[in-house]
Amino acid sequence: EDEEIAAEIMKRRFFPALITHKAWEGFRFAGHEIRITEATDCYGAVVWPSALVLCYFLETNSKQYNLVDKNVIEIGAGTGLVSIVASLLGAIVTATDLPELLGNLQHNVLQNTKLKCKHQPCVKELSWGIDLEKNFPRSSCHFDYIMAADVVYHHPFLDELLVTFDHLCRKDTVILWAMKFRLDKENQFVGRFQTLFDLEVISNLPSLNITLYKAMRKDRMKA
């Protein structure tokens, strides 16, 4: 069953029939063909399989996880695929990433959502752990969902990532986080994450080495 689902997910990807001057990949989600422009010079400008797993889950569980009119933020949005799919499913989306990735992210989001979505998504800079209260003040920013795909890998900002999750998450916020397991150091992040959040596996795909988690704050009952 795992391999069948993995195959179904990967079948959602397609490539241009002709070589074009810009590299792009196509994806079929939420009743639309989505074209994603990529770059090969940085991690954040490529679509990773974890993003496809999360998009597939959002589409096939749209009744249980109804995104219509929900406030959604994606951290580490990269090329924007998850944010685009969430927007097509009716969410009010803020897609975030590092400043050097925003140009390509904005291009992809606009190209695939303009006149197609109930709410036009916005693109915003978010460097993990930096100026969080200034740019996303707790008093006015409330997100129903935080989405993240493949944000844990070999980088030196795992502490800042955890601080960012903590800052953005309210007592009723749901985190949907797809993670590809690689090295022990990154895998240890899951244990640290669980000091702040209750974690539940909602989809596991061993053939892709990807797990999809749902998480909520541990202190939400006291809040």
Side-chain angles (χ1 to χ4, degrees), residues 34-107:
I34 300 164
R35 292 192 177 193
I36 296 291
T37 301
E38 299 187 332
T40 54
D41 55 354
C42 58
Y43 287 128
V46 176
V47 177
W48 298 98
S50 292
L52 274 69
V53 169
L54 182 47
C55 289
Y56 181 82
F57 180 85
L58 294 176
E59 181 190 84
T60 55
N61 294 273
S62 59
K63 287 187 178 177
Q64 185 178 356
Y65 294 87
N66 184 355
L67 298 184
V68 176
D69 299 333
K70 296 294 196 300
N71 280 309
V72 171
I73 186 168
E74 185 187 4
I75 60 173
T79 57
L81 181 62
V82 172
S83 288
I84 290 163
V85 171
S87 296
L88 292 170
L89 291 170
I92 305 162
V93 175
T94 303
T96 70
D97 214 314
L98 297 169
E100 60 267 28
L101 296 172
L102 295 188
N104 189 54
L105 175 57
Q106 178 72 65
H107 168 78

Side-chain angles (χ1 to χ4, degrees), residues 125-172:
E125 176 185 340
L126 173 53
S127 301
W128 297 338
I130 298 174
D131 291 334
L132 293 174
E133 183 57 33
K134 176 185 172 186
N135 296 325
F136 299 90
R138 283 181 176 271
S139 59
S140 58
C141 287
H142 181 280
F143 296 106
D144 299 296
Y145 289 94
I146 299 170
M147 297 192 183
D150 232 354
V151 292
V152 177
Y153 54 90
H154 185 61
H155 63 70
F157 304 109
L158 294 177
D159 289 343
E160 291 83 352
L161 174 60
L162 190 58
V163 167
T164 301
F165 272 125
D166 184 43
H167 178 82
L168 295 173
C169 193
R170 302 292 175 270
K171 64 179 181 180
D172 55 349

